[in-house]
PDB file of all heavy atoms in Angstrom:
ATOM      1  N   PHE A 129     -19.155  22.796   0.662  1.00 92.00           N
ATOM      2  CA  PHE A 129     -17.715  22.832   0.402  1.00 92.00           C
ATOM      3  C   PHE A 129     -17.499  22.444  -1.052  1.00 92.00           C
ATOM      4  O   PHE A 129     -18.083  21.494  -1.541  1.00 92.00           O
ATOM      5  CB  PHE A 129     -16.951  21.841   1.300  1.00 92.00           C
ATOM      6  CG  PHE A 129     -16.992  22.189   2.757  1.00 92.00           C
ATOM      7  CD1 PHE A 129     -17.944  21.621   3.589  1.00 92.00           C
ATOM      8  CD2 PHE A 129     -16.089  23.087   3.301  1.00 92.00           C
ATOM      9  CE1 PHE A 129     -18.001  21.932   4.931  1.00 92.00           C
ATOM     10  CE2 PHE A 129     -16.138  23.408   4.646  1.00 92.00           C
ATOM     11  CZ  PHE A 129     -17.093  22.834   5.461  1.00 92.00           C
ATOM     12  N   GLU A 130     -16.644  23.179  -1.689  1.00 92.00           N
ATOM     13  CA  GLU A 130     -16.329  22.880  -3.072  1.00 92.00           C
ATOM     14  C   GLU A 130     -14.842  23.130  -3.283  1.00 92.00           C
ATOM     15  O   GLU A 130     -14.314  24.155  -2.859  1.00 92.00           O
ATOM     16  CB  GLU A 130     -17.143  23.786  -3.999  1.00 92.00           C
ATOM     17  CG  GLU A 130     -17.255  23.252  -5.404  1.00 92.00           C
ATOM     18  CD  GLU A 130     -18.240  24.037  -6.258  1.00 92.00           C
ATOM     19  OE1 GLU A 130     -19.197  24.592  -5.697  1.00 92.00           O
ATOM     20  OE2 GLU A 130     -18.021  24.093  -7.483  1.00 92.00           O
ATOM     21  N   LYS A 131     -14.191  22.168  -3.930  1.00 90.00           N
ATOM     22  CA  LYS A 131     -12.748  22.340  -4.146  1.00 90.00           C
ATOM     23  C   LYS A 131     -12.371  21.683  -5.465  1.00 90.00           C
ATOM     24  O   LYS A 131     -12.945  20.661  -5.857  1.00 90.00           O
ATOM     25  CB  LYS A 131     -11.968  21.701  -2.994  1.00 90.00           C
ATOM     26  CG  LYS A 131     -10.496  22.036  -3.009  1.00 90.00           C
ATOM     27  CD  LYS A 131      -9.762  21.512  -1.802  1.00 90.00           C
ATOM     28  CE  LYS A 131      -8.289  21.895  -1.886  1.00 90.00           C
ATOM     29  NZ  LYS A 131      -7.505  21.397  -0.766  1.00 90.00           N
ATOM     30  N   GLY A 132     -11.417  22.273  -6.133  1.00 88.00           N
ATOM     31  CA  GLY A 132     -10.896  21.687  -7.360  1.00 88.00           C
ATOM     32  C   GLY A 132     -11.803  21.922  -8.560  1.00 88.00           C
ATOM     33  O   GLY A 132     -12.630  22.831  -8.583  1.00 88.00           O
ATOM     34  N   ASN A 133     -11.639  21.034  -9.560  1.00 86.00           N
ATOM     35  CA  ASN A 133     -12.372  21.172 -10.808  1.00 86.00           C
ATOM     36  C   ASN A 133     -13.444  20.103 -10.958  1.00 86.00           C
ATOM     37  O   ASN A 133     -13.274  18.985 -10.501  1.00 86.00           O
ATOM     38  CB  ASN A 133     -11.401  21.036 -11.995  1.00 86.00           C
ATOM     39  CG  ASN A 133     -10.281  22.059 -11.925  1.00 86.00           C
ATOM     40  OD1 ASN A 133     -10.515  23.211 -11.593  1.00 86.00           O
ATOM     41  ND2 ASN A 133      -9.067  21.624 -12.212  1.00 86.00           N
ATOM     42  N   LYS A 134     -14.509  20.484 -11.628  1.00 85.00           N
ATOM     43  CA  LYS A 134     -15.563  19.512 -11.916  1.00 85.00           C
ATOM     44  C   LYS A 134     -15.245  18.839 -13.243  1.00 85.00           C
ATOM     45  O   LYS A 134     -14.858  19.500 -14.209  1.00 85.00           O
ATOM     46  CB  LYS A 134     -16.922  20.214 -12.021  1.00 85.00           C
ATOM     47  CG  LYS A 134     -17.461  20.696 -10.697  1.00 85.00           C
ATOM     48  CD  LYS A 134     -18.853  21.280 -10.857  1.00 85.00           C
ATOM     49  CE  LYS A 134     -19.347  21.812  -9.527  1.00 85.00           C
ATOM     50  NZ  LYS A 134     -20.665  22.443  -9.622  1.00 85.00           N
ATOM     51  N   THR A 135     -15.419  17.518 -13.278  1.00 83.00           N
ATOM     52  CA  THR A 135     -15.193  16.782 -14.521  1.00 83.00           C
ATOM     53  C   THR A 135     -16.419  15.926 -14.817  1.00 83.00           C
ATOM     54  O   THR A 135     -17.350  15.862 -14.014  1.00 83.00           O
ATOM     55  CB  THR A 135     -13.963  15.856 -14.402  1.00 83.00           C
ATOM     56  OG1 THR A 135     -14.212  14.911 -13.352  1.00 83.00           O
ATOM     57  CG2 THR A 135     -12.701  16.637 -14.068  1.00 83.00           C
ATOM     58  N   ASN A 136     -16.389  15.279 -15.972  1.00 80.00           N
ATOM     59  CA  ASN A 136     -17.531  14.432 -16.340  1.00 80.00           C
ATOM     60  C   ASN A 136     -17.501  13.079 -15.658  1.00 80.00           C
ATOM     61  O   ASN A 136     -18.509  12.384 -15.566  1.00 80.00           O
ATOM     62  CB  ASN A 136     -17.556  14.215 -17.861  1.00 80.00           C
ATOM     63  CG  ASN A 136     -17.936  15.487 -18.593  1.00 80.00           C
ATOM     64  OD1 ASN A 136     -18.667  16.307 -18.046  1.00 80.00           O
ATOM     65  ND2 ASN A 136     -17.422  15.670 -19.785  1.00 80.00           N
ATOM     66  N   VAL A 137     -16.300  12.682 -15.190  1.00 76.00           N
ATOM     67  CA  VAL A 137     -16.172  11.392 -14.500  1.00 76.00           C
ATOM     68  C   VAL A 137     -16.251  11.659 -13.007  1.00 76.00           C
ATOM     69  O   VAL A 137     -15.400  12.366 -12.451  1.00 76.00           O
ATOM     70  CB  VAL A 137     -14.834  10.695 -14.847  1.00 76.00           C
ATOM     71  CG1 VAL A 137     -14.729   9.357 -14.128  1.00 76.00           C
ATOM     72  CG2 VAL A 137     -14.717  10.518 -16.350  1.00 76.00           C
ATOM     73  N   ASN A 138     -17.268  11.118 -12.366  1.00 79.00           N
ATOM     74  CA  ASN A 138     -17.409  11.400 -10.936  1.00 79.00           C
ATOM     75  C   ASN A 138     -18.054  10.234 -10.207  1.00 79.00           C
ATOM     76  O   ASN A 138     -18.620   9.334 -10.816  1.00 79.00           O
ATOM     77  CB  ASN A 138     -18.236  12.674 -10.734  1.00 79.00           C
ATOM     78  CG  ASN A 138     -19.585  12.592 -11.427  1.00 79.00           C
ATOM     79  OD1 ASN A 138     -20.423  11.793 -11.061  1.00 79.00           O
ATOM     80  ND2 ASN A 138     -19.787  13.421 -12.430  1.00 79.00           N
ATOM     81  N   LYS A 139     -17.914  10.267  -8.896  1.00 82.00           N
ATOM     82  CA  LYS A 139     -18.554   9.276  -8.044  1.00 82.00           C
ATOM     83  C   LYS A 139     -19.232  10.041  -6.921  1.00 82.00           C
ATOM     84  O   LYS A 139     -18.642  10.966  -6.364  1.00 82.00           O
ATOM     85  CB  LYS A 139     -17.519   8.285  -7.483  1.00 82.00           C
ATOM     86  CG  LYS A 139     -16.274   8.931  -6.938  1.00 82.00           C
ATOM     87  CD  LYS A 139     -15.144   7.927  -6.776  1.00 82.00           C
ATOM     88  CE  LYS A 139     -13.875   8.603  -6.287  1.00 82.00           C
ATOM     89  NZ  LYS A 139     -12.688   7.761  -6.335  1.00 82.00           N
ATOM     90  N   GLY A 140     -20.453   9.676  -6.606  1.00 83.00           N
ATOM     91  CA  GLY A 140     -21.169  10.475  -5.623  1.00 83.00           C
ATOM     92  C   GLY A 140     -22.213   9.683  -4.882  1.00 83.00           C
ATOM     93  O   GLY A 140     -22.517   8.542  -5.213  1.00 83.00           O
ATOM     94  N   THR A 141     -22.713  10.318  -3.812  1.00 82.00           N
ATOM     95  CA  THR A 141     -23.764   9.701  -3.024  1.00 82.00           C
ATOM     96  C   THR A 141     -24.658  10.775  -2.441  1.00 82.00           C
ATOM     97  O   THR A 141     -24.260  11.941  -2.339  1.00 82.00           O
ATOM     98  CB  THR A 141     -23.166   8.832  -1.892  1.00 82.00           C
ATOM     99  OG1 THR A 141     -24.213   8.140  -1.239  1.00 82.00           O
ATOM    100  CG2 THR A 141     -22.449   9.687  -0.870  1.00 82.00           C
ATOM    101  N   SER A 142     -25.860  10.364  -2.061  1.00 83.00           N
ATOM    102  CA  SER A 142     -26.808  11.275  -1.437  1.00 83.00           C
ATOM    103  C   SER A 142     -27.422  10.564  -0.245  1.00 83.00           C
ATOM    104  O   SER A 142     -27.864   9.422  -0.364  1.00 83.00           O
ATOM    105  CB  SER A 142     -27.875  11.658  -2.457  1.00 83.00           C
ATOM    106  OG  SER A 142     -28.886  12.400  -1.829  1.00 83.00           O
ATOM    107  N   GLN A 143     -27.390  11.220   0.924  1.00 83.00           N
ATOM    108  CA  GLN A 143     -27.978  10.627   2.125  1.00 83.00           C
ATOM    109  C   GLN A 143     -29.121  11.520   2.576  1.00 83.00           C
ATOM    110  O   GLN A 143     -28.947  12.735   2.711  1.00 83.00           O
ATOM    111  CB  GLN A 143     -26.934  10.564   3.239  1.00 83.00           C
ATOM    112  CG  GLN A 143     -25.844   9.544   3.023  1.00 83.00           C
ATOM    113  CD  GLN A 143     -26.060   8.290   3.861  1.00 83.00           C
ATOM    114  OE1 GLN A 143     -26.720   8.339   4.875  1.00 83.00           O
ATOM    115  NE2 GLN A 143     -25.500   7.197   3.424  1.00 83.00           N
ATOM    116  N   VAL A 144     -30.262  10.905   2.826  1.00 83.00           N
ATOM    117  CA  VAL A 144     -31.431  11.671   3.259  1.00 83.00           C
ATOM    118  C   VAL A 144     -31.751  11.300   4.703  1.00 83.00           C
ATOM    119  O   VAL A 144     -31.813  10.111   5.041  1.00 83.00           O
ATOM    120  CB  VAL A 144     -32.640  11.356   2.351  1.00 83.00           C
ATOM    121  CG1 VAL A 144     -33.853  12.136   2.817  1.00 83.00           C
ATOM    122  CG2 VAL A 144     -32.322  11.692   0.905  1.00 83.00           C
ATOM    123  N   PHE A 145     -31.944  12.335   5.545  1.00 79.00           N
ATOM    124  CA  PHE A 145     -32.262  12.091   6.956  1.00 79.00           C
ATOM    125  C   PHE A 145     -33.661  12.615   7.258  1.00 79.00           C
ATOM    126  O   PHE A 145     -34.339  13.167   6.401  1.00 79.00           O
ATOM    127  CB  PHE A 145     -31.251  12.830   7.859  1.00 79.00           C
ATOM    128  CG  PHE A 145     -29.836  12.423   7.640  1.00 79.00           C
ATOM    129  CD1 PHE A 145     -28.991  13.179   6.856  1.00 79.00           C
ATOM    130  CD2 PHE A 145     -29.344  11.280   8.226  1.00 79.00           C
ATOM    131  CE1 PHE A 145     -27.680  12.804   6.649  1.00 79.00           C
ATOM    132  CE2 PHE A 145     -28.032  10.902   8.030  1.00 79.00           C
ATOM    133  CZ  PHE A 145     -27.203  11.661   7.238  1.00 79.00           C
ATOM    134  N   ASP A 146     -34.013  12.490   8.548  1.00 76.00           N
ATOM    135  CA  ASP A 146     -35.288  13.067   8.988  1.00 76.00           C
ATOM    136  C   ASP A 146     -35.186  14.584   8.978  1.00 76.00           C
ATOM    137  O   ASP A 146     -34.097  15.143   8.846  1.00 76.00           O
ATOM    138  CB  ASP A 146     -35.598  12.610  10.431  1.00 76.00           C
ATOM    139  CG  ASP A 146     -35.667  11.106  10.523  1.00 76.00           C
ATOM    140  OD1 ASP A 146     -36.000  10.466   9.518  1.00 76.00           O
ATOM    141  OD2 ASP A 146     -35.367  10.572  11.617  1.00 76.00           O
ATOM    142  N   GLN A 147     -36.298  15.240   9.154  1.00 76.00           N
ATOM    143  CA  GLN A 147     -36.382  16.701   9.258  1.00 76.00           C
ATOM    144  C   GLN A 147     -35.834  17.379   7.998  1.00 76.00           C
ATOM    145  O   GLN A 147     -35.336  18.503   8.078  1.00 76.00           O
ATOM    146  CB  GLN A 147     -35.621  17.217  10.498  1.00 76.00           C
ATOM    147  CG  GLN A 147     -36.151  16.635  11.800  1.00 76.00           C
ATOM    148  CD  GLN A 147     -35.273  16.965  12.996  1.00 76.00           C
ATOM    149  OE1 GLN A 147     -34.676  18.036  13.052  1.00 76.00           O
ATOM    150  NE2 GLN A 147     -35.198  16.056  13.940  1.00 76.00           N
TER     151      GLN A 147
END
Side-chain angles (χ1 to χ4, degrees):
Chain A
F129 294 95
E130 200 171 331
K131 190 175 180 181
N133 303 319
K134 288 185 182 178
T135 61
N136 289 331
V137 180
N138 55 66
K139 46 197 177 190
T141 186
S142 173
Q143 289 258 336
V144 179
F145 301 99
D146 301 332
Q147 301 171 34

